[in-house]
């Protein structure tokens, strides 16, 4: 045997002995981690061996019994995230991670919400000053509001401002396991978050309450709410517990009371919609400059998530030149048109006519209001093409 191959086989022998020792100790997690290390080590020099080891590693993951609730999730870069819990039966991840540590654009929010979110962040950043006076920072907050207004986004923003990933508890996964285990699942996930001083979001927290209507589940759900009550009460200063819901009426009042702060999100106002349109237009802002007011008027009442969807469709249409700008604008606000009452549509048409950027013909196309009606309310049409590109 040459010196090289002798050294090599000694390496393999000692790895084998170590692997056997770990397997004998019945520490499945350590065995798996060691196997993963061996696969990396031998991938270049012994590809066949590495791929066979890889198969054994995979089979340990799928065959594992469902006795324990906590299992390792998929490996990720952050060491604290390397052991994210998954449900023992379904193997669904109990916690999802949003990693915006590289930075995230701030959400567009009315002042009151912006200030509340800002306070949560500042208190964390200056927690030592608070601690010196024996004061705890806000440990828990519940974000309430209609869909698509930036609740989840604000939670991501808070975490990213604090240089952390946002952990989101997947309540569907928590509740997907066998009856009787959901309480354990919930506790395991929450304990894990507490241990790592995470920013944890309980998204759609009403999911727990909603299921209460299902009689067969009632005992189980009561237990879940009890777990939740205890956990919110005992949440440590080092962690931050956020919850979000668009059904505040479904959240147990006892649970509701336990959050340190309630942040109310409303549907966006006109100013926010204007800012959002400009942001979502991105590099195309210049192209659509003379249409921004029209879009803002036409998209009133939409959530920012819907505004984003409309603007993205508009930009795609423009990039691929699927139709004229007028047509694209009109279909961007078309969706909303169906929700507008006749009076609201007339108002929109009058506003647009007064702004003088578009001909009555164009306004009529966009709003569905007859040209005569527009003229009756707003006077004659501006000179053709005025203000148009
Ligand atoms: N206030 C906002 N500022 C900027 N973008 C927003 C805002 N609200 C929504 N958006 C856009 O819409 C997307 C969806 O928003 P988000 O998931 O935060 O809504 P949500 O309030 O959590 O809704 P749901 O109640 O349905 O969960 C965001 O990722 C973002 O692109
Ligand atoms: Mg959300």
């Amino acid at each position: 045997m040459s010196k090289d191959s002798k050294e090599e086989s000694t390496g393999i022998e000692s790895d084998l002995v170590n692997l056997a020792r770990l397997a004998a100790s019945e520490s499945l997690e350590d065995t798996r981690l060691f196997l993963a290390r061996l696969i990396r080590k031998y991938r270049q020099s012994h590809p066949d061996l590495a791929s066979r080891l890889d198969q054994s590693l995979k089979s340990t993951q799928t065959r594992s019994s469902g006795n324990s609730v906590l299992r390792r999730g998929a490996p990720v870069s952050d060491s604290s995230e390397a052991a994210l819990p998954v449900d023992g039966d379904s193997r669904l991840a109990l916690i999802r991670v949003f990693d915006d540590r590289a930075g995230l654009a701030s959400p567009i929010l009315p002042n009151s919400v912006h200030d509340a979110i800002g306070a949560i962040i500042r208190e964390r950043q200056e927690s030592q000053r608070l601690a010196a006076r024996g004061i705890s920072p806000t440990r828990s907050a519940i974000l309430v509001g209609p869909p698509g207004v930036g609740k989840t986004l604000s939670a991501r923003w808070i975490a990213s401002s604090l240089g952390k990933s946002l952990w989101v508890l997947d309540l569907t996964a928590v509740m997907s396991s066998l009856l009787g285990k959901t309480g354990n699942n919930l506790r395991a996930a929450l304990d894990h978050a507490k241990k790592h001083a995470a920013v944890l979001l309980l998204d759609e927290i009403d999911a727990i309450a909603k299921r209460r209507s299902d009689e067969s589940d009632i005992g189980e759900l009561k237990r879940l709410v009890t777990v939740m009550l205890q956990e919110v009460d005992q949440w440590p200063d080092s962690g931050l517990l956020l919850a979000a819901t668009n059904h505040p009426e479904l959240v147990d009042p006892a649970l509701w009371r336990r959050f340190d702060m309630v942040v109310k999100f409303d549907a966006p106002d006109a100013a926010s919609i204007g800012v959002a349109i400009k942001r979502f237009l991105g590099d195309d802002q210049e192209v659509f400059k003379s249409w921004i007011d029209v879009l803002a008027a036409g998209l009133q009442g939409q959530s920012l998530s819907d505004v984003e969807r409309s603007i993205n469709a508009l930009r795609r249409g423009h990039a691929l030149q699927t139709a004229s700008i007028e047509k694209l604008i009109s279909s961007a606000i078309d969706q909303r048109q169906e929700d507008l009452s006749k009076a609201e549509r007339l108002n929109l048409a009058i506003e647009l006519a007064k702004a003088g950027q578009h001909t009555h013909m164009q306004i009529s196309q966009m709003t569905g209001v007859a040209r005569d009606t527009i003229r009756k309310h707003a006077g004659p049409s501006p000179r053709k093409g005025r203000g148009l590109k």
Side-chain angles (χ1 to χ4, degrees):
M1 214 184 253
S2 75
K3 186 167 167 275
D4 273 1
S5 62
K6 195 171 167 195
E7 266 174 14
E8 200 172 72
S9 67
T10 322
I12 295 180
E13 273 168 26
S14 71
D15 285 340
L16 186 61
V17 171
N18 281 332
L19 185 62
R21 196 179 294 144
L22 283 173
S25 75
E26 292 192 346
S27 166
L28 184 57
E29 288 317 320
D30 293 340
T31 311
R32 275 205 201 127
L33 287 174
F34 189 66
L35 260 177
R37 201 181 322 142
L38 293 186
I39 294 165
R40 275 199 301 280
K41 178 174 169 187
Y42 291 115
R43 185 160 284 144
Q44 292 286 329
S45 59
H46 296 72
D48 282 351
L49 174 62
S51 99
R52 278 157 67 197
L53 289 177
D54 198 26
Q55 275 165 18
S56 345
L57 179 64
K58 287 200 178 112
S59 73
T60 66
Q61 275 160 355
T62 47
R63 253 191 296 117
S64 57
S65 71
N67 294 339
S68 101
V69 174
L70 258 180
R71 297 215 184 283
R72 287 178 196 259
V76 275
S77 53
D78 184 324
S79 64
S80 63
E81 289 164 16
L84 290 173
V86 302
D87 171 47
D89 300 307
S90 64
R91 301 208 43 80
L92 286 172
L94 297 178
I95 293 176
R96 286 173 289 133
V97 177
F98 282 101
D99 187 354
D100 300 300
R101 285 175 295 173
L104 186 71
S106 60
I108 300 160
L109 300 170
N111 286 341
S112 59
V113 178
H114 185 268
D115 291 351
I117 302 279
I120 295 177
I121 297 171
R122 206 165 36 252
E123 287 174 12
R124 295 276 143 183
Q125 287 166 337
E126 307 210 28
S127 59
Q128 305 227 322
R129 270 177 69 192
L130 290 178
R133 291 165 165 254
I135 305 171
S136 296
T138 301
R139 292 167 310 148
S140 57
I142 182 159
L143 317 181
V144 197
V149 294
K151 298 183 296 297
T152 306
L153 185 65
S154 296
R156 287 170 62 186
W157 163 249
I158 291 172
S160 112
S161 303
L162 298 173
K164 293 187 170 194
S165 308
L166 176 71
W167 292 10
V168 182
L169 185 67
D170 190 332
L171 286 170
T172 327
V174 165
M175 301 203 293
S176 73
S177 65
L178 294 175
L179 220 62
K181 281 221 183 127
T182 52
N184 294 353
N185 265 349
L186 184 61
R187 218 181 275 281
L190 295 178
D191 279 349
H192 187 74
K194 277 200 256 186
K195 209 162 78 199
H196 290 97
V199 181
L200 180 72
L201 172 65
L202 312 177
D203 218 352
E204 293 168 26
I205 196 174
D206 46 274
I208 289 182
K210 254 190 227 162
R211 296 247 309 233
R212 269 190 176 199
S213 50
D214 183 348
E215 289 295 320
S216 64
D217 271 354
I218 205 142
E220 181 75 351
L221 287 164
K222 273 210 177 116
R223 267 197 297 283
L224 269 190
V225 173
T226 312
V227 171
M228 202 72 105
L229 291 178
Q230 289 165 355
E231 294 286 343
V232 180
D233 261 346
Q234 294 161 10
W235 206 255
D237 285 1
S238 57
L240 177 58
L241 180 66
L242 302 172
T245 178
N246 32 53
H247 293 289
E249 72 285 0
L250 293 179
V251 177
D252 193 297
L255 179 57
W256 189 259
R257 271 201 314 271
R258 279 173 168 76
F259 283 93
D260 289 343
M261 190 192 268
V262 176
V263 187
K264 287 208 172 86
F265 287 64
D266 286 322
D269 57 15
S272 302
I273 293 205
V275 174
I277 289 174
K278 286 187 193 144
R279 182 183 299 176
F280 298 148
L281 279 173
D283 292 343
D284 287 342
Q285 227 186 99
E286 199 50 39
V287 179
F288 292 101
K289 207 165 126 197
S290 61
W291 298 93
I292 289 176
D293 290 345
V294 179
L295 287 167
L299 294 172
Q300 282 316 311
Q302 302 256 40
S303 72
L304 292 193
S305 161
D306 288 340
V307 170
E308 185 177 33
R309 190 166 345 119
S310 299
I311 299 292
N312 283 344
L314 178 67
R315 294 184 68 186
R316 276 195 295 273
H318 178 66
L320 301 178
Q321 305 207 304
T322 52
S324 68
I325 286 202
E326 283 86 354
K327 275 245 167 60
L328 291 170
I329 298 275
S330 136
S331 61
I333 58 180
D334 221 22
Q335 236 184 325
R336 168 73 181 135
Q337 296 291 311
E338 283 163 23
D339 305 341
L340 285 177
S341 68
K342 218 170 149 189
E344 283 175 317
R345 244 183 297 148
L346 179 59
N347 265 342
L348 171 60
I350 296 170
E351 285 305 311
L352 288 172
K354 282 191 188 149
Q357 297 269 319
H358 308 282
T359 63
H360 285 183
M361 165 87 94
Q362 288 165 332
I363 296 170
S364 172
Q365 274 173 4
M366 286 186 281
T367 60
V369 176
R371 281 164 67 191
D372 279 352
T373 317
I374 300 173
R375 191 173 38 232
K376 210 166 76 197
H377 287 85
S381 184
R383 255 185 313 122
K384 197 165 177 257
R386 193 183 130 204
L388 302 177
K389 292 240 161 121

